[in-house]
Every structure is written in C-alpha cells, then in structure tokens.
Amino acid sequence: MTHMLDDLSRAAERSIAAMQDAARKARTDHAAAELTRHMLLTTQKFLDRGRAGAIEAVVSDWLGAWHLSRDEWPEIASEMETLTGAFYDYCASPSDATDQAVRDAWAGLKAAHDTPERTLEDQMAWRSVCAHGWWGDVSPAPDGYRDHDEARPRAPFWTKSCPPECLG
C-alpha cells in the first residue's frame, strides 16, 4: 500500500503538469487571438488610406509595437504585408472567402516566421507593448525580447515555491 504523502504528491505532480500544459496552450491561443484582434482594429483604423496605404500603416504600427524595424525582418516583411492585405480585404468586405484568405496568409506568415525557438504567438507575448501580463508569467520573454519592460517575469509562475526552510 502506498502512503498518503506519496499518493498526494503523485496526484499533485499530475495536476501541476496538466496545469502547465493548459497554461501554455491558453497563452498561445490568447496571444494569437489578441494579435488577430489588434490586426482587425488597426486595419479598420487605416481603411480610408486605401489598400497600399493601409498595409504600410498597419505593418509600420505592428513593427513599432514589437520594437522592431522593417530591416530586422526582411525575410518576413512580405508575409506580414500579405497578411495585412488579407485583413484589409476582410475588413472591406467580410466573407467566408476573405476569412479564408486571412487564414491562408496567417499560415504563410507562420511558415516563414516560426522556428523551434519562437512562434508568432511568442513574438506577440514577448515583444508587444500590448502583451497581457500573465503571458510572461507562463512563458517569460528571453533576454533581448522585452528590453522595454524591465519588470518582466524571469521564470514561469509555477517555479515559485515556498521558503526553503519549509522544505525540511
């Protein structure tokens, strides 16, 4: 028979692992939703500039919010422009077809951008001035990503523990 502490400890470890997985997925999904929401709102703000003007304004705004210059991402800039154009078309005429174009452009940007070290959702969480604070509590930005935010978390919240003297 296992003892109570062993049973409770194993249950806690399983629950903590499930919580970590859920928190990481929630952070990724929420960052994607927030990036999409920002893209829609910003594109709507610039619709009156026409397609080319709106694309330029939105991409400039986006890179500014992420503290990047266009020349830092030359291989990705055209995909950002394609996605922004798809958002422009969607804002101008929402339909299943323009929604599909946004989805396709999103997939194209992710294919050009994402690496094992970073995803588009990571960029939103780690770079954006509009990042939700809890995102960094789940997956802190690596050094150099949020240099504009000195109060950022340095480790996931689940690494916080009780004082050492409580551990015996």
Side-chain angles (χ1 to χ4, degrees):
M1 176 172 128
T2 58
H3 292 209
M4 184 175 170
L5 175 58
D6 295 331
D7 287 343
L8 291 174
S9 294
R10 279 193 289 280
E13 288 171 8
R14 286 190 305 271
S15 294
I16 289 168
M19 177 268 310
Q20 290 170 346
D21 291 342
R24 287 183 188 108
K25 181 166 179 17
R27 180 259 199 190
T28 297
D29 292 347
H30 193 221
E34 283 296 282
L35 177 54
T36 300
R37 188 176 69 78
H38 282 274
M39 291 293 296
L40 283 168
L41 290 174
T42 307
T43 303
Q44 288 168 342
K45 183 169 83 174
F46 294 119
L47 276 177
D48 63 337
R49 296 187 183 194
R51 195 171 194 279
I55 290 170
E56 178 57 35
V58 171
V59 171
S60 293
D61 185 77
W62 183 358
L63 291 171
W66 285 14
H67 300 271
L68 294 169
S69 63
R70 198 177 288 255
D71 63 340
E72 289 176 283
W73 275 8
E75 73 285 5
I76 295 169
S78 67
E79 295 293 339
M80 292 175 87
E81 291 168 356
T82 299
L83 177 60
T84 305
F87 272 108
Y88 179 90
D89 297 341
Y90 178 85
C91 288
S93 181
S95 68
D96 290 346
T98 54
D99 178 72
Q100 187 59 53
V102 168
R103 291 170 188 267
D104 293 344
W106 178 271
L109 177 56
K110 285 190 63 64
H113 171 276
D114 288 5
T115 69
E117 293 79 34
R118 62 147 206 256
T119 65
L120 197 56
E121 296 84 0
D122 289 334
Q123 294 290 357
M124 180 65 181
W126 293 341
R127 290 194 182 276
S128 182
V129 296
C130 297
H132 291 243
W134 71 270
W135 295 345
D137 291 333
V138 172
S139 179
D143 287 338
Y145 273 83
R146 288 192 60 85
D147 51 359
H148 59 283
D149 183 0
E150 292 303 318
R152 69 184 173 88
R154 299 288 180 181
F157 71 87
W158 52 79
T159 63
K160 297 175 182 173
S161 186
C162 62
E165 62 269 17
C166 296
L167 297 173

